[in-house]
Amino acid sequence: MNILNYTEDHHAFRKRFNEYLAREVIPYAAQWEKDHIIPKEAWKKVGQAGFLCTNVDKKYGGMGGDFLYSTIVCQELTKTCQTGLAMSLHSDVVVPYIDEYGSEEMKQRFLPGCVSGDIVTAVAMTEPDAGSDLSSLKTTAVEDGDEIIISGSKTFISNGIHCDAVVVAARDPKIDNPYQAMSLYIVEDGTPGFSRGRHLDKMGWHSQDTAELFFNDCRIPKENLLGEKGYGFLMLMGKLQQERLVCSMGAIYGARQVINGAVDYFKTTKDASGKPLSKYQAIQFALVEMETEVKIAETFVDKLIADHMEKKDVKTETSMAKFWTTDLANRVTGRCIEMMEDLGMVEQNPLVQAWRDFRITSIFAGTNEIMKFIIAKLMQL
Ligand SMILES: Cc1cc2nc3c(=O)[nH]c(=O)nc-3n(C[C@H](O)[C@H](O)[C@H](O)COP(=O)(O)OP(=O)(O)OC[C@H]3O[C@@H](n4cnc5c(N)ncnc54)[C@H](O)[C@@H]3O)c2cc1C
């Protein structure tokens, strides 16, 4: 039984996207990992090929597709083992803020560039002293005539180096209640007072740029307020369902890659007597256990995708999926590496990169402890 109904159009899109990846991404993925960044050109190329922001309406240059196009992009991109071309972050996490909350003028100004890859986006919430607890944000936004002055710093911002437009969470210092004080603003590259700090060197996700951002009396036009003033926290919360779902998709599509790779490895690797390792019951049972868990998670995530597409409220379930699938991906990868013994440890083994990359997934988009904290609240515990 298929939970998700992919049409002929979806299949054709997947085929075109895979051809694109084979030509423009896979040959360069290893080099991008070594460089710890991708060339900015890669964003324009993929945008011009029609694979960014597939959900954006045709009148802004998008294809007006449903969320299944996002699942295809996420699934196929995961197989390339590179994280720099963070298409899901741009198309399914950041651009939806502009698409849903932006004024008509703002949409006309930004969305066509987001679709074409001329505008790479980022979202900046985290600060040196404010991660999980957004109520402790210190970045301020002060109105001054037709302008807003943003002051403060952000850290661990994905696409921080390449971004042309950043959705920044900042607070009005005159309002005491931190939730009512928070608004979202778009800061554009080149605005005086906006600068980038260190390009952070991470244990995984090497090809993805993650950076510090600084706002030093950075003056933006009032029109760059996203949505209504004081609704920043609610807007962030409103978009977390999709963000957590996208994280779960990335984790489970990655775990599927790992388990498929491990099954191949144990079937084709033989012991001294010529017996494939997959014929040993200890190996079989371990692979069966992991395959079972991955299959259960795939089914759960597919059901959440279907529910999300029907606009159901699945905040509790997507929070469950985020912590469970990212933990599962970590668990499966670690166990497979151990079962491969010495070969599991060599840098050339793709699972080594997967192990490093998955480690990060339990931290971003809300740590897995925070997911449990939210679920406990939603369960009224
Ligand atoms: C690779 C990467 C990319 C990122 N990209 C972005 C981005 O694009 N934009 C952005 O804004 N941020 C980004 N982040 C930041 C990320 O969202 C934060 O790291 C995360 O929210 C945790 O914040 P923190 O690191 O300050 O940890 P803290 O909030 O200080 O938490 C420290 C530890 O305490 C635990 N903890 C905190 N509060 C509670 C609680 N109430 N109950 C139980 N345990 C708790 C946490 O789970 C964690 O283990 C990124 C991070 C990484 C690593």
Side-chain angles (χ1 to χ4, degrees):
M1 182 195 70
N2 289 332
I3 298 172
L4 301 177
N5 295 314
Y6 290 101
T7 63
E8 284 307 313
D9 285 348
H10 291 118
H11 293 311
F13 176 85
R14 189 188 294 273
K15 185 167 175 289
R16 276 193 292 118
F17 187 48
N18 273 324
E19 286 163 1
Y20 179 84
L21 293 175
R23 206 173 54 244
E24 302 290 350
V25 174
I26 293 166
Y28 309 105
Q31 189 58 46
W32 293 350
E33 280 293 302
K34 282 195 195 126
D35 294 344
H36 283 219
I37 195 150
I38 65 166
K40 193 155 182 196
E41 262 318 291
W43 282 104
K44 284 193 187 168
K45 275 192 183 169
V46 75
Q48 276 151 18
F51 298 115
L52 288 178
C53 306
T54 48
N55 308 144
V56 165
D57 198 283
K58 286 182 179 161
K59 73 174 171 172
Y60 305 112
M63 54 183 272
D66 61 19
F67 191 69
L68 287 184
Y69 289 96
S70 303
T71 69
I72 293 169
V73 167
C74 183
Q75 198 165 27
E76 300 306 325
L77 203 62
T78 303
K79 295 180 189 163
T80 68
C81 298
Q82 64 76 45
T83 50
L85 193 59
M87 294 172 67
S88 299
L89 170 73
H90 171 78
S91 305
D92 304 315
V93 175
V94 192
V95 174
Y97 283 106
I98 304 173
D99 202 7
E100 185 168 336
Y101 303 121
S103 62
E104 185 53 37
E105 180 276 328
M106 194 179 253
K107 289 186 195 185
Q108 287 181 14
R109 195 148 50 100
F110 288 103
L111 290 181
C114 295
V115 173
S116 68
D118 289 301
I119 298 177
V120 177
T121 59
V123 59
M125 297 180 250
T126 307
E127 299 181 358
D129 295 317
S132 305
D133 180 13
L134 285 178
S135 69
S136 51
L137 279 191
K138 291 198 176 63
T139 298
T140 55
V142 177
E143 288 180 25
D144 184 28
D146 287 343
E147 293 181 323
I148 296 159
I149 309 169
I150 312 274
S151 305
S153 62
K154 300 285 179 181
T155 191
F156 276 99
I157 306 308
S158 304
N159 291 346
I161 298 291
H162 278 329
C163 63
D164 301 286
V166 198
V167 174
V168 179
R171 51 172 300 169
D172 182 338
K174 291 200 288 295
I175 300 175
D176 286 338
N177 182 320
Y179 300 107
Q180 289 168 2
M182 194 193 300
S183 303
L184 302 183
Y185 302 90
I186 299 188
V187 178
E188 294 167 80
D189 184 32
T191 310
F194 169 41
S195 61
R196 293 154 222 263
R198 286 175 301 161
H199 175 177
L200 301 168
D201 200 7
K202 310 179 297 293
M203 69 171 280
W205 284 58
H206 284 165
S207 59
Q208 198 200 29
D209 76 78
T210 310
E212 296 170 323
L213 302 180
F214 298 111
F215 306 92
N216 191 2
D217 286 339
C218 174
R219 285 179 177 267
I220 58 168
K222 246 184 174 170
E223 299 78 60
N224 281 24
L225 166 70
L226 187 55
E228 278 187 62
K229 186 162 184 280
Y231 280 76
F233 188 74
L234 288 177
M235 288 191 278
L236 290 174
M237 295 303 112
K239 286 280 153 230
L240 286 181
Q241 172 163 309
Q242 179 153 311
E243 181 174 340
R244 286 173 188 155
L245 181 56
V246 168
C247 279
S248 312
M249 284 155 48
I252 203 58
Y253 299 151
R256 164 56 60 206
Q257 281 280 101
V258 167
I259 188 74
N260 285 356
V263 167
D264 269 0
Y265 172 86
F266 288 110
K267 277 171 120 173
T268 52
T269 307
K270 298 182 174 127
D271 68 6
S273 69
K275 181 173 164 179
L277 298 181
S278 61
K279 294 294 173 197
Y280 286 95
Q281 198 176 53
I283 300 284
Q284 290 177 350
F285 281 16
L287 291 174
V288 166
E289 282 166 17
M290 288 188 279
E291 172 68 25
T292 305
E293 279 196 276
V294 170
K295 199 140 253 170
I296 290 168
E298 284 172 331
T299 312
F300 183 42
V301 169
D302 278 358
K303 172 75 169 77
L304 291 183
I305 294 169
D307 287 348
H308 180 66
M309 288 176 70
E310 286 177 23
K311 302 207 181 316
K312 289 186 183 161
D313 180 348
V314 281
K315 276 191 217 66
T316 312
E317 292 78 0
T318 48
S319 304
M320 289 171 173
K322 198 271 170 180
F323 91 73
W324 199 69
T325 56
T326 55
D327 279 354
L328 176 65
N330 273 295
R331 211 163 51 238
V332 164
T333 312
R335 194 171 179 193
C336 288
I337 284 179
E338 270 193 39
M339 284 162 60
M340 290 175 181
E341 298 183 335
D342 49 359
L343 273 176
M345 305 295 148
V346 295
E347 195 58 41
Q348 292 85 342
N349 180 352
L351 266 58
V352 172
Q353 185 191 326
W355 183 81
R356 281 199 300 256
D357 289 347
F358 283 136
R359 194 59 203 85
I360 286 172
T361 61
S362 56
I363 300 169
F364 61 26
T367 68
N368 284 4
E369 289 77 26
I370 292 298
M371 293 305 109
K372 291 172 199 173
F373 174 80
I374 292 167
I375 298 162
K377 271 196 164 178
L378 292 165
M379 287 171 68
Q380 300 178 343
L381 298 177

